[in-house]
Structures are given as structure tokens and as C-alpha cells.
Amino acid sequence: MATIALTRQISPALAECQLTYMDRDAIDVARAERQHAAYEDALRAMGAEVVTAPFDPTCPDCVFVEDTALVLDEIAVIGAMRRASRAPETKLLSHLLGTQRELASIQAPGTLEGGDVFLVGRTIFVGRSTRTNDHGIEQLRAIAEPHGYEVIAVDVPGCLHLTTGASRLTEEIVLLHPEWVDADAFIGVETLAIDPAEPWGANTLRLNDQTLMGDCFPRTRDIIESRGVTTRTVDISELMKAEAGLTCMSLLFDGDANALRQAIAGIQITADRTSHRRASASA
Ligand code: GLY
């Protein structure tokens, strides 16, 4: 079993991504791809085995793979995307995660995006946001509690997802931006506020006792390091124009990387055959 970081290539349509709390700014997709490659390198340097799924040209947001699912040790929960343009993303992830875990899925009228969820120990904090509703939260509770998890809802009044405004810094500390998420909801853990001049700085990625963060949050980095946390930085400025955070570009779990790669190879063979048949038919 390896620590897998499952990522997905950037869609050429990234510039048409969903935006909720941000104005649209031109996105240089080639630059975003270089930053995504550096992000994957950082995950490898932190000890993850990176497995990358192919992009879908019809899904502008498909690189944000975290939003499609929550992978627990015991079960993978396939989310229900709030935006129609993102709904097809879960099909591939169901197929891939089905090689790793038993699956459960959130059903309408429930919506739940993985970007609204993070764990601290056996506690699952889940954001009540523009993307995740109470039906989705109750379904997650019904799936997770029999496995020994406690599910705590957190209001997210000021940003896209819970993980936009909060993240697990260590097993004891949640880093957050108190203007964007309800700090009082984090029962049983210490909360640490980011520097208010860096509102996007609360999204950090914890892996093997290291913390990955964006390189444009030096004041928050000082706050984190003053607590003895080792940090590493990466530039995702182009991806941030798509309302991205670090965590939303990977799903981290212990699993079988070879089984995932075989499933991905099978998809690519099927896609190649389909495009070959289409080309033959139109010749
Ligand atoms: N662009 C990420 C999202 O809005 O889902």
C-alpha cells in the first residue's frame, strides 16, 4: 500500500471554469499546466505516489479532483456536484475509486463536494456551503458514522468550499480564516487564524508531517512555522484564478497504485478505440 495522490490533468477548457466568489480573469492554461506539474512534484517530494487521470475536454473544472469524492480508510463516498458542468466528473472517479474501496454515493436532493470536507482524526468536518447542502451532510453522516466517524457541520458563509477557508494543519490544529468559516464549529481542536492580509492562505495540504502551502502567503507561513510546523511552498497563482486551492487538486489515500494505473490505461485504450472508430466512420 502506498500513499497515493490521485490527480487529474487540466482540461483545455479550464478558462471556462465555475466561479462563485471570484471575478473571471484570463487564465493561461499552459502556465497552469506547468504549475500543476510542479504541484505534483511537490507531492512526490513529500512522499506521495502520484497517479494522474486524463482530463475531460468537456469538464473545465476536472483538475479539481478533490471535489468529486471523500476517501475514508473504510469506504469512498462519491459526491454529488452542485453545478451541472461538474456533474460528469464523478463518473471517472467512481470507476477509479471502485478499484480501491467499497463505494457509497450522495443522492439527490443531496449535494456534497469533497472540497467541503476534511478530517481531523475520526472527526469529519463538512461545510454547509453554496455547494454542499443539509441533505448531503445527513447522507454523509449516515454513511460515515457506522464506521466510527463523527460528522460536524461547519457554516461557510464567505468562500467557495470549507477547504477554501480552513484546513487541517496538524492532528491538533485547524488553520482558518474566521471571516469565511464559522470558527466556533471546530469542537475538540485548536483553531489558528491566518494573517488577515492573506485571506486565501488557509488552504494547506498536510502529508507525512509536512505542510504544503501557496508561496504567496509569507505572513501566514510565519504564523504556521512559529508553531513548529515544517512548510514547503509551491506557486499555484494561475490555478487560483479558477478559485482553486492546493487540496482541491488531489485525493490523498492509502491504496494500490498499480490497480489505479491499470484502470486508467483501460480508459485510455477505450477512448483511443472510440476516436479511431469515429475517424474511420467519417473517412
Ligand atoms: N472552479 C472551481 C469550482 O467552482 O468548482
Side-chain angles (χ1 to χ4, degrees):
M1 294 276 263
T3 301
I4 294 173
L6 177 58
T7 64
R8 194 166 185 187
Q9 293 170 332
I10 291 175
S11 170
L14 175 66
E16 294 151 41
C17 65
Q18 292 288 335
L19 294 173
T20 304
Y21 286 89
M22 291 182 73
D23 294 330
R24 197 165 295 279
D25 194 1
I27 296 178
D28 178 339
V29 176
R31 183 164 184 258
E33 284 174 340
R34 290 194 294 278
Q35 292 182 352
H36 189 252
Y39 168 77
E40 291 183 323
D41 285 344
L43 293 175
R44 282 186 198 96
M46 293 166 75
E49 184 154 354
V50 176
V51 179
T52 306
F55 67 78
D56 181 337
T58 69
C59 291
D61 285 292
C62 69
V63 66
F64 305 126
V65 70
E66 177 192 50
D67 296 334
T68 62
L70 166 67
V71 185
L72 302 172
D73 287 344
E74 303 82 0
I75 195 166
V77 183
I78 306 300
M81 313 300 282
R82 181 70 181 79
R83 300 269 188 245
S85 75
R86 301 206 59 184
E89 295 174 33
T90 54
K91 188 173 173 198
L92 175 67
L93 271 295
S94 295
H95 177 63
L96 298 181
L97 294 174
T99 69
Q100 306 291 311
R101 297 286 191 279
E102 180 191 341
L103 298 182
S105 57
I106 303 299
Q107 306 291 331
T111 64
L112 185 137
E113 298 190 2
D116 273 317
V117 185
F118 66 85
L119 269 88
V120 181
R122 304 294 288 183
T123 303
I124 300 175
F125 292 105
V126 53
R128 188 183 286 113
S129 71
T130 59
R131 299 294 180 83
T132 294
N133 64 18
D134 282 322
H135 295 288
I137 293 170
E138 285 315 308
Q139 289 178 39
L140 175 62
R141 195 187 307 283
I143 294 165
E145 283 189 349
H147 295 286
Y149 294 92
E150 182 183 15
V151 174
I152 296 180
V154 183
D155 284 328
V156 181
C159 57
L160 174 59
H161 287 126
L162 176 63
T163 58
T164 316
S167 59
R168 178 175 63 98
L169 189 59
T170 68
E171 282 304 315
E172 293 82 33
I173 305 174
V174 167
L175 182 71
L176 56 76
H177 182 26
E179 290 178 23
W180 285 0
V181 301
D182 175 14
D184 292 340
F186 291 97
I187 299 158
V189 289
E190 180 186 350
T191 55
L192 180 67
I194 55 155
D195 188 290
E198 298 172 346
W200 292 86
N203 180 263
T204 60
L205 186 155
R206 183 81 172 160
L207 182 61
N208 293 332
D209 294 332
Q210 292 181 67
T211 293
L212 187 64
M213 58 185 301
D215 68 353
C216 50
F217 309 115
R219 296 176 183 210
T220 300
R221 188 179 187 190
D222 284 347
I223 292 171
I224 292 171
E225 292 196 334
S226 73
R227 299 299 302 267
V229 174
T230 306
T231 62
R232 169 187 290 270
T233 61
V234 66
D235 175 14
I236 58 160
S237 50
E238 204 62 32
L239 290 147
M240 285 174 67
K241 294 178 186 173
E243 213 161 353
L246 287 168
T247 56
C248 68
M249 295 187 287
S250 56
L251 280 164
L252 302 176
F253 55 90
D254 290 336
D256 179 348
N258 286 336
L260 268 181
R261 290 203 174 94
Q262 278 174 14
I264 290 168
I267 294 158
Q268 285 169 328
I269 288 165
T270 307
D272 288 349
R273 282 198 193 120
T274 307
S275 58
H276 176 70
R277 272 202 297 276
R278 278 204 205 106
S280 306
S282 61

